Amino acid sequence: MRITPVVLLGLLALFVGVAEPANILGVFTSTSPSHNIVHIEYIKAMVERGHNVTVVTTQPLKDKNPKYHHIYLPQEKKIIDSVFYLLEEQAEPLRNPLFLDLMNNPDNKFDLVIIGYFSNDFHLGIGAHFKCPIVLSFTSAANNLQDRYIGNPPEVAYVTALSLFAPPDPMKFTGRLTNFMINFLWKILQYFLQRHSETLYSEIFPPSKYPPFEETKKMVSLVLLNSHFTDGFIRPHVPAVVEVGGIQIKQKPDPLPENLQKIINASSEHGVIYVSFGSHIKPSDINPQLNENIFKALAGLKQTVLWKWNDAEKPGNAPNIFYEKWLPQDDLLANPKVKLFITHAGKGGVIESQYHGVPMVAIPLFFDQVSNAAQVERHGFGLELDQHTLKAEVLRTAVLEVLENPKYVKKAQQFSKLYRDRPMNAKDTAVFWLEYVLRHKGAYHMQSPMVHLNSFQYLSLDVIGFLVLVIFLVYKTVTITTKFVFKKISAKLQKIKKH
């Protein structure tokens, strides 16, 4: 057997391990089930490797595994009305008696903490409490939320700010101007967010017992991103950032439930349109007019429509539309009869659609969905529509365009091949680097020196100030010396004239 680099990397991932099973804690307090789908993949992977894992969530887990200990802290899912509310929402579980019992039990010792990251900086105190390295799991591409932890260079000229907004063309002046202004305004907001996080940190992790808030940021060993450079967000990464986009996607899809398979089998040659707006927002929470327009656009098409819907009143009934409370998205998109995905452009859904080569019609609702939808259209994987101005006839035209114009499915399938072409799959990559951090007790040798610089030092303001002072002193010295010399010469000339 010829040992290629790909085979060698695979063998390393399988056989290079830690000396003994490690104790790992996962803390995932986002109220979005879609976030937990990604976070839990790391837990499942580490359990398969024989590690002892405890996981804390604020949402119930569908696929419970008896091999790990699950602490469920029930929390009502609410619509996020401000960024500051988002912080308060994620602070609440840390005050829960069950979580406090976990923290205060002297028998609980952990070698690694994996934190589901969504602006919850104060959660870094968990790593400080257990005196162990921290790994951040982020469900999207990198942005300057994580940059400051691992020292990623901010490239404002061509990296979209926050990966939440996509300028019309990042390389043109208007795009760079927009990106610069968004980045500048975010820095201002970020300052206040950090102050609020610091307040929450001081309350939950009192300074008499814990290191300063800023010091905990230096405990971050690794950031795992649910992205991949092929999906359009090209930017430099330091070694402590690892892209594992698509980690939630099965290497081999599971068989579909019998009722779904029956519907799909009956769809004949026209195929299936899959409609879902994710797991965080219920369809009944969306503007009723938007749901009505979607129904009008899809009713009567020759394609079968599978629409993820909750118990609320349906927008209408049509022979070709089937409403289902739950749909196995990854397995469904893997089915060759699914021809189109109508989506809110959540990162997880876009990744799964790209992986399986299914074109999209994207109707973003908020946050990074706007940027994701823009990328879908920019790269030719489908079309983006505005939820606020969407009319039934506009959606129907877009659906037919993507279904009937082969360029979209061709682009999507080309990208699918590109996205899958890696030395190791996402799961094996994540396992290797998580265990790398364990083997090397935090692997802090991967940290960028930028982590240990404050903003004043990073921007070289001290160096610039010093050089300005030196230039000023040299200028003053030359000026004073010149004036003194000219004064002496002038005095001598005056004496000569008098004689």
Side-chain angles (χ1 to χ4, degrees), residues 349-362:
V350 169
I351 286 173
E352 290 163 15
S353 194
Q354 290 174 329
Y355 184 88
H356 295 298
V358 179
M360 291 165 271
V361 170

Side-chain angles (χ1 to χ4, degrees), residues 261-447:
Q261 191 61 59
K262 186 176 179 181
I263 294 171
I264 289 176
N265 288 342
S267 65
S268 186
E269 74 276 9
H270 302 302
V272 173
I273 297 172
Y274 169 46
V275 183
S276 174
F277 283 81
S279 53
H280 185 70
I281 299 295
K282 296 178 181 179
S284 55
D285 292 332
I286 298 172
N287 183 346
Q289 186 61 53
L290 176 58
N291 285 324
E292 185 179 333
N293 286 333
I294 294 173
F295 172 79
K296 288 179 179 177
L298 301 179
L301 290 177
K302 58 186 178 182
Q303 286 79 19
T304 295
V305 177
L306 286 173
W307 192 341
K308 185 175 181 290
W309 192 265
N310 59 346
D311 295 327
E313 184 179 353
K314 300 175 180 64
N317 291 297
N320 70 315
I321 297 179
F322 296 84
Y323 299 94
E324 298 289 340
K325 189 173 182 179
W326 177 80
L327 290 165
Q329 181 164 288
D330 180 28
D331 301 322
L332 191 59
L333 289 169
N335 192 293
K337 283 204 171 185
V338 175
K339 305 299 183 183
L340 174 66
F341 181 23
I342 298 178
T343 172
H344 66 311
K347 188 63 178 178
V350 169
I351 286 173
E352 290 163 15
S353 194
Q354 290 174 329
Y355 184 88
H356 295 298
V358 179
M360 291 165 271
V361 170
I363 309 172
L365 302 178
F366 49 70
F367 287 150
D368 65 330
Q369 298 161 16
V370 177
S371 163
N372 297 336
Q375 292 289 341
V376 165
E377 180 162 317
R378 180 176 296 158
H379 294 290
F381 308 137
L383 296 174
E384 175 191 9
L385 300 176
D386 186 346
Q387 60 157 322
H388 302 291
T389 60
L390 184 64
K391 302 296 183 185
E393 56 271 22
V394 173
L395 175 58
R396 193 180 185 97
T397 299
V399 166
L400 293 175
E401 164 67 14
V402 177
L403 283 171
E404 296 173 0
N405 191 330
K407 72 176 185 180
Y408 298 102
V409 70
K410 183 179 178 181
K411 276 282 188 180
Q413 290 177 351
Q414 285 175 343
F415 181 82
S416 175
K417 292 179 182 178
L418 188 65
Y419 194 72
R420 295 168 184 240
D421 192 0
R422 311 182 193 186
M424 284 194 294
N425 63 45
K427 178 181 173 181
D428 289 343
T429 301
V431 166
F432 175 84
W433 286 106
L434 285 168
E435 292 192 335
Y436 185 90
V437 169
L438 285 167
R439 285 196 299 275
H440 298 287
K441 309 300 181 186
Y444 295 113
H445 58 274
M446 291 198 299
Q447 279 189 339

Side-chain angles (χ1 to χ4, degrees), residues 16 29 57 74 189 191 202 224 230 235 299-300 314 342 352 362 475 480:
V16 176
T29 59
T57 71
L189 176 60
Y191 171 81
S202 299
L224 294 171
T230 54
R235 60 160 301 161
K314 300 175 180 64
I342 298 178
E352 290 163 15
Y475 168 76
I480 293 171

Side-chain angles (χ1 to χ4, degrees), residues 54-89:
T54 298
V55 59
V56 178
T57 71
T58 54
Q59 293 293 307
L61 299 179
K62 286 184 178 179
D63 302 320
K64 291 184 179 179
N65 189 327
K67 293 184 179 179
Y68 61 75
H69 177 48
H70 179 216
I71 300 175
Y72 174 40
L73 309 178
Q75 188 174 12
E76 183 182 355
K77 184 171 66 176
K78 302 175 182 177
I79 302 297
I80 299 170
D81 57 6
S82 76
V83 183
F84 293 98
Y85 171 75
L86 177 64
L87 300 186
E88 293 290 345
E89 182 184 55

Side-chain angles (χ1 to χ4, degrees), residues 119-133:
S119 296
N120 48 322
D121 305 67
F122 51 91
H123 280 205
L124 298 178
I126 301 169
H129 178 85
F130 291 110
K131 297 181 174 60
C132 66

